[in-house]
């Protein structure tokens, strides 16, 4: 891939990503379930990663070519600018993505190392039999993935994690809580595990590493984080009467967290982020007052996910013709070399002379420029 191709790829993908996130957020406002909103964000992250694969492996439509009408001198100037800009952009992106990836691995390493220092807890001891019957999810995990309940004195807020095994980690100071409050916390964390939020968070982190520069990606991360917490809050309470005790639990954890220094950057934490906790409290209060949640319309979650995939497919055809050296012979770009070579292995013909075209056209442009430069001298 040349520097001008990379510039076109980065700009086109950035526009596509912004549009897909806007569509996902809009569809999320139409579904009537916070759990479905979470699934919609999971589909959104899968779609974003698929757009990257399509951009790298498939040809792109070129519905118009704005560079045909400009002269050779201006074309040469644009090519020079695009090549320098593309090189700078590539190295800046590579540096940012490398730093983001290292931070991601370092935090994952910290969490895994922290889990090894935690003490196991007996579910029967800390969750009463009566309350276990109220939480059938405790026994719904396969035996090989049996839930592990852990505790630590170094933790300020509960969190869950799932890599090889599902974990729920509870700070030691919460073990003296009222059993009902403790079960609120466990139900909240169980909802994270049951609905695949660790997987969604992993996909979110991968998208954040690749598009570390994109403000809409970080905005989407905040929105999906709020949806996850809203869904788990609703799953943790059975009735509006539980909300008062649930809010007291959340407030106690927030007060303790504010007075202690957090040592472990945990994910899917029960009470972290003041702005998110404030939104959760306002929403729970609204539910307790039996106020209707404002929604302009309602559609089924699967229909919303299907609509997102279809609209994202159309958005994938949006390709900005920034590359001045792109061939204008057809309305489609040639196949990228790496996917075209695979097709050739299966005796499937594919036009993949993009690099060849670039060299020829750049050489022709330089030939046009050389006599003018000589005349100027």
């Amino acid at each position: 891939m040349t520097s001008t191709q990379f510039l076109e790829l980065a700009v086109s993908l950035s526009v596509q990503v912004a549009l897909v996130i806007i569509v996902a957020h809009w569809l999320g406002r139409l579904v009537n379930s916070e759990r479905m909103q979470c699934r919609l964000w999971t589909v959104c992250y899968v779609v974003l990663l698929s757009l990257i694969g399509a951009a790298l492996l498939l040809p792109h439509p070129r519905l118009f070519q704005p560079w045909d009408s400009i002269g050779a001198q201006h074309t040469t100037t644009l090519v020079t600018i695009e090549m320098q800009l593309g090189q700078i952009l590539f190295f800046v992106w590579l540096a940012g993505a490398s730093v983001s990836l290292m931070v991601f691995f370092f935090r994952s390493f910290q969490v895994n190392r922290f889990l090894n220092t935690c003490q196991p807890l007996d579910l029967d001891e800390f969750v009463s039999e009566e309350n276990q019957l109220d939480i059938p999810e405790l026994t719904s995990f396969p035996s090989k993935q049996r839930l592990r309940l852990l505790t630590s004195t170094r933790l300020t807020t509960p969190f869950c994690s799932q890599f090889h095994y599902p974990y729920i980690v509870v700070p030691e100071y919460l073990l003296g809580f009222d059993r009902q409050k403790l079960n609120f916390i466990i139900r909240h964390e169980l909802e994270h595990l049951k609905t695949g939020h660790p997987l969604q968070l992993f996909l979110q982190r991968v998208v954040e590493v690749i598009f570390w520069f994109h403000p809409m990606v970080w905005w989407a991360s905040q929105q999906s984080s709020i949806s996850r917490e809203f869904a788990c809050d609703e799953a943790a309470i059975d009735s509006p009467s539980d909300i008062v005790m649930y809010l007291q639990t959340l407030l106690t954890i927030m007060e303790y967290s504010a007075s202690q220094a957090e040592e472990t950057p945990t994910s899917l934490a029960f009470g972290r982020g003041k702005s998110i906790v404030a939104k959760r409290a306002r929403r729970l209060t609204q539910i307790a007052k039996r106020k209707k949640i404002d929604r302009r319309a309602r559609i089924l979650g699967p229909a919303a996910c299907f609509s997102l995939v279809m609209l994202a497919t159309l958005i994938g055809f949006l390709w900005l013709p920034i590359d001045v050296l792109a061939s204008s012979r057809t309305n489609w770009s040639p196949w990228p070399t790496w996917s075209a070579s695979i097709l050739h292995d299966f005796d499937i013909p594919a036009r993949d002379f993009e690099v060849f075209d670039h060299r020829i056209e750049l050489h022709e442009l330089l030939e046009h420029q050389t006599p003018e430069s000589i005349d100027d001298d």
Side-chain angles (χ1 to χ4, degrees):
M1 179 180 294
T2 64
S3 56
T4 56
Q5 288 172 332
F6 178 79
L7 179 65
E8 183 177 272
L9 175 78
V11 174
S12 299
L13 264 180
S14 297
V15 173
Q16 291 178 8
V17 165
L19 292 176
V20 169
I21 289 174
I22 291 172
V23 171
H25 178 67
W26 173 67
L27 289 172
R29 293 173 62 87
L30 301 182
V31 297
N32 58 357
S33 164
E34 293 296 337
R35 179 181 280 192
M36 287 311 306
Q37 277 199 27
C38 290
R39 291 179 179 172
L40 196 60
W41 280 116
T42 302
V43 173
C44 175
Y45 289 125
V46 172
V47 165
L48 294 182
L49 295 176
S50 301
L51 285 178
I52 299 172
L56 293 174
L57 300 175
L58 300 178
H60 323 296
R62 296 188 185 280
L63 302 181
F64 62 97
Q65 176 56 268
W67 313 115
D68 288 343
S69 58
I70 63 176
Q73 180 66 35
H74 292 98
T75 302
T76 306
T77 304
L78 280 174
V79 169
T80 305
I81 294 173
E82 284 192 357
M83 291 179 68
Q84 294 176 348
L85 189 60
Q87 289 176 356
I88 294 172
L89 185 63
F90 173 75
F91 286 111
V92 170
W93 171 81
L94 186 62
S98 300
V99 171
S100 300
L101 190 62
M102 286 190 290
V103 171
F104 172 68
F105 281 126
F106 179 69
R107 287 181 175 174
S108 300
F109 171 75
Q110 278 188 308
V111 171
N112 286 329
R113 189 173 63 175
F114 172 75
L115 289 174
N116 292 329
T117 66
C118 295
Q119 301 298 316
L121 290 176
D122 186 0
L123 288 173
D124 296 331
E125 182 179 354
F126 290 95
V127 182
S128 67
E129 183 177 354
E130 180 182 357
N131 288 328
Q132 284 189 38
L133 294 176
D134 293 336
I135 312 173
E137 296 87 353
L138 279 174
T139 57
S140 64
F141 288 95
S143 58
K144 292 183 178 179
Q145 297 182 345
R146 185 67 66 188
L147 174 69
R148 287 161 169 77
L149 184 62
L150 306 176
T151 186
S152 173
T153 57
R154 298 166 50 200
L155 195 64
T156 60
T157 180
F159 79 98
C160 66
S161 175
Q162 184 167 13
F163 186 60
H164 293 298
Y165 304 102
Y167 292 98
I168 293 178
V169 188
V170 181
E172 191 178 70
Y173 73 93
L174 292 181
L175 298 181
F177 260 36
D178 178 86
R179 195 60 60 86
Q180 183 64 26
K181 290 183 178 179
L182 192 58
N183 281 339
F184 282 149
I185 297 171
I186 293 175
R187 282 179 178 171
H188 179 100
E189 302 303 331
L190 276 173
E191 182 69 9
H192 277 309
L193 297 173
K194 285 170 53 185
T195 50
H197 290 172
L199 174 62
Q200 184 196 78
L201 189 61
F202 173 76
L203 296 173
Q204 176 185 316
R205 295 287 187 246
V206 173
V207 172
E208 288 174 355
V209 167
I210 298 173
F211 294 101
W212 58 269
F213 58 90
H214 205 307
M216 287 296 291
V217 169
W218 295 103
W219 180 81
S221 298
Q222 186 180 31
Q223 295 303 311
S224 56
S225 177
I226 293 173
S227 293
R228 286 195 295 265
E229 298 306 321
F230 281 176
C232 293
D233 286 343
E234 290 184 2
I237 55 177
D238 291 327
S239 63
S241 60
D242 289 340
I243 294 178
V244 174
M245 190 176 292
Y246 190 82
L247 286 172
Q248 290 174 349
T249 306
L250 190 60
L251 180 62
T252 303
I253 293 174
M254 285 295 296
E255 288 177 344
Y256 185 83
S257 300
S259 62
Q260 302 290 325
E262 184 60 71
E263 300 178 4
T264 305
T266 55
S267 56
L268 297 177
F270 181 82
R272 182 168 297 147
K274 292 181 180 178
S275 62
I276 294 179
V277 171
K279 290 179 181 178
R280 291 167 60 188
R282 281 197 297 270
R283 180 179 174 80
L284 289 170
T285 304
Q286 193 176 14
I287 294 174
K289 292 180 179 178
R290 299 180 183 278
K291 289 185 177 179
K292 187 177 180 180
I293 304 300
D294 179 31
R295 295 193 187 281
R296 296 178 182 176
R298 293 182 177 180
I299 61 175
L300 295 176
C305 294
F306 180 76
S307 301
L308 176 60
V309 172
M310 290 297 101
L311 290 173
T313 303
L314 295 176
I315 292 172
F317 284 94
L318 179 62
W319 197 261
L320 303 182
I322 294 175
D323 187 1
V324 180
L325 293 177
S327 173
S328 58
R329 296 176 185 176
T330 69
N331 292 329
W332 286 82
S333 71
W335 282 80
T337 303
W338 38 69
S339 56
S341 61
I342 296 175
L343 293 175
H344 291 162
D345 291 339
F346 291 94
D347 294 329
I348 300 175
R351 187 171 66 95
D352 63 335
F353 48 85
E354 195 164 14
V355 175
F356 177 77
D357 277 351
H358 275 70
R359 290 173 180 171
I360 293 297
E361 293 181 12
L362 182 60
H363 178 69
E364 291 174 348
L365 286 172
L366 293 176
E367 279 189 340
H368 279 290
Q369 188 186 29
T370 302
E372 297 176 5
S373 304
I374 295 174
D375 292 341
D376 292 340
D377 294 338

